[in-house]
Amino acid sequence: MTNHHARRPQARRTDAAEIATLLPAPAEWDVPGERHLHHKERLMRQIDRDHSRTSARTDSGGRASRRLLRPAVMAPVAALAVGAAILTSVTVTGGGPSTAGPSRHPAAGESAGTGSALLVQVSRAALENDEVAVRDDQFTYRRATVREADLTSGKAVVGPLRTVESWASQKQGPQRRLGVVRTDGETLPVNAELGDDDGTPPGLGRPTYRWLATLPADPDELLAYLEAKTPKTAEVKGQGHDQAAFEQIGSIINQVVPPRTAAALYQAAARIPGVEEAPRAHDAIGRRGVGIAREDAASGTRTEWVFDKDGLTLLGTRSYLVKNTAYGKKGTLLSSTAELQHAVVDTPGQAPVSRRDS
């Protein structure tokens, strides 16, 4: 894999300029400014990722996931469930590459942090959930309330609360149309990832229910797999690799996940150094519960997952700055979500028959 630590910002801008000359002429209709900036960000991330991956196209089950500079409704798939990665993963540059060394996971019986015991309880609760029957011709549905910061100006500008619904296609094989997402009264298609000319296959970038069921049930094996597939470029962008793995798990758990896989994911998270309990955690709409958090010194961010105190189901997530950075002062919100409903439906745009909110 290319050592991206040696690449300088000027080199990345040169790459962007060269690729920009190859893009087709713009459409005759105008794209709203925010959406234009969003697509520009996706292009820059694709440039970085293309330099760092060597075999992702030959491994349809382990495609690198997107680490977004800001949540955005048009990003493909993990976005669908409302963009799992979209709503739970915010990468913030902390002023340079991370100097953190390789992860050292605790041995059996050793605690990774104060959150280990709670995550074991959450894992057991997840395992008690019923298996969901999901056909390949169906869609997983997610409804969530989100609040996110726009970082495109170089400063975190926090937007208002909004409700987002998404429908993720469960079709097998590479797909060009991944589903739809609805926000602010507008329904938009979610297309294949940038660069996937033949469609995006199931994998970390498009975690279908069937694909999730194939992940290792052993938490050590699962964590090793996720870390191997988590982009090393996260470190170049100021985020430690342990944090990238933690947020990779966070981008999956807010979807419709097989119980066995969900249980393994929580136990895998318990093995990541620095994971701790967050007693004052709350979701985007103020619901409080028991929390799990990890603070990343490299990027100066803290990500929290909050669970219902009784059933230990996921209520939502929150990410914010824990030190002053170029994006804002300590305490600045980067993103927050509140999980409202998950279901399986037959067609995109269809609301679940039973609206059982969390």
Side-chain angles (χ1 to χ4, degrees):
M1 180 174 292
T2 302
N3 184 353
H4 214 186
H5 288 263
R7 292 187 57 80
R8 301 178 68 86
Q10 182 60 44
R12 288 198 293 271
R13 288 195 291 270
T14 300
D15 290 338
E18 291 175 356
I19 288 185
T21 64
L22 303 177
L23 294 175
E28 295 181 357
W29 47 273
D30 291 332
V31 177
E34 182 179 358
R35 195 169 303 159
H36 168 77
L37 289 171
H38 160 62
H39 287 295
K40 179 180 177 181
E41 290 168 15
R42 287 184 60 195
L43 175 61
M44 290 301 296
R45 288 191 295 274
Q46 185 69 27
I47 292 169
D48 285 343
R49 185 172 60 185
D50 285 346
H51 278 294
S52 68
R53 66 184 180 187
T54 58
S55 61
R57 283 195 177 277
T58 62
D59 181 8
S60 63
R63 297 183 57 80
S65 78
R66 295 168 303 285
R67 316 309 302 174
L68 302 184
L69 285 177
R70 67 184 175 94
V73 298
M74 286 294 290
V77 164
L80 274 180
V82 171
I86 293 176
L87 299 180
T88 60
S89 257
V90 178
T91 300
V92 176
T93 301
S98 167
T99 57
S103 302
R104 189 201 71 78
H105 297 141
E110 181 183 354
S111 175
T114 61
S116 298
L118 176 57
L119 281 169
V120 169
Q121 296 178 43
V122 174
S123 172
R124 291 171 178 167
L127 198 57
E128 294 177 358
N129 292 331
D130 294 331
E131 185 79 25
V132 180
V134 183
R135 301 192 312 268
D136 293 348
D137 62 344
Q138 290 183 306
F139 294 76
T140 54
Y141 170 84
R142 181 185 179 217
R143 182 166 60 94
T145 295
V146 306
R147 190 173 190 180
E148 58 208 17
D150 186 337
L151 306 180
T152 55
S153 67
K155 296 290 184 180
V157 180
V158 181
L161 285 172
R162 59 195 179 92
T163 298
V164 182
E165 295 177 283
S166 63
W167 292 262
S169 171
Q170 299 299 296
K171 289 183 179 179
Q172 298 306 299
Q175 299 295 319
R176 290 191 175 90
R177 180 60 61 85
L178 308 181
V180 298
V181 62
R182 178 185 296 158
T183 183
D184 297 330
E186 184 178 17
T187 301
L188 299 169
V190 180
N191 298 319
E193 288 191 58
L194 187 65
D196 286 346
D197 296 334
D198 297 324
T200 299
L204 285 177
R206 184 180 164 238
T208 63
Y209 192 86
R210 178 186 287 191
W211 178 83
L212 287 168
T214 68
L215 291 175
D218 179 87
D220 291 309
E221 292 181 15
L222 179 56
L223 183 57
Y225 171 82
L226 293 174
E227 289 192 327
K229 301 303 179 183
T230 298
K232 300 291 184 182
T233 53
E235 297 180 14
V236 178
K237 294 179 179 179
Q239 184 183 67
H241 199 59
D242 281 332
Q243 184 71 10
F246 181 74
E247 292 194 358
Q248 178 67 78
I249 294 173
S251 74
I252 297 175
I253 58 175
N254 61 1
Q255 305 175 58
V256 180
V257 182
R260 188 197 67 160
T261 303
L265 286 166
Y266 289 125
Q267 290 196 39
R271 286 159 167 75
I272 299 176
V275 173
E276 61 183 11
E277 289 192 33
R280 292 184 295 276
H282 60 84
D283 67 9
I285 57 177
R287 296 180 300 184
R288 295 189 178 275
V290 292
I292 287 294
R294 190 178 191 281
E295 200 165 296
D296 185 45
S299 62
T301 62
R302 178 181 174 90
T303 298
E304 299 177 347
W305 305 338
V306 55
F307 301 90
D308 175 69
K309 292 181 180 179
D310 297 324
L312 295 179
T313 57
L314 183 69
L315 293 179
T317 63
R318 191 163 69 107
S319 179
Y320 55 94
L321 295 177
V322 290
K323 67 179 182 181
N324 296 337
T325 74
Y327 289 105
K329 294 182 179 181
K330 177 180 178 180
T332 299
L333 180 72
L334 298 176
S335 70
S336 62
T337 71
E339 300 300 314
L340 301 179
Q341 188 178 19
H342 298 84
V344 179
V345 297
D346 292 333
T347 59
Q350 174 188 355
V353 175
S354 176
R355 298 186 68 85
R356 293 180 298 175
D357 293 358
S358 299

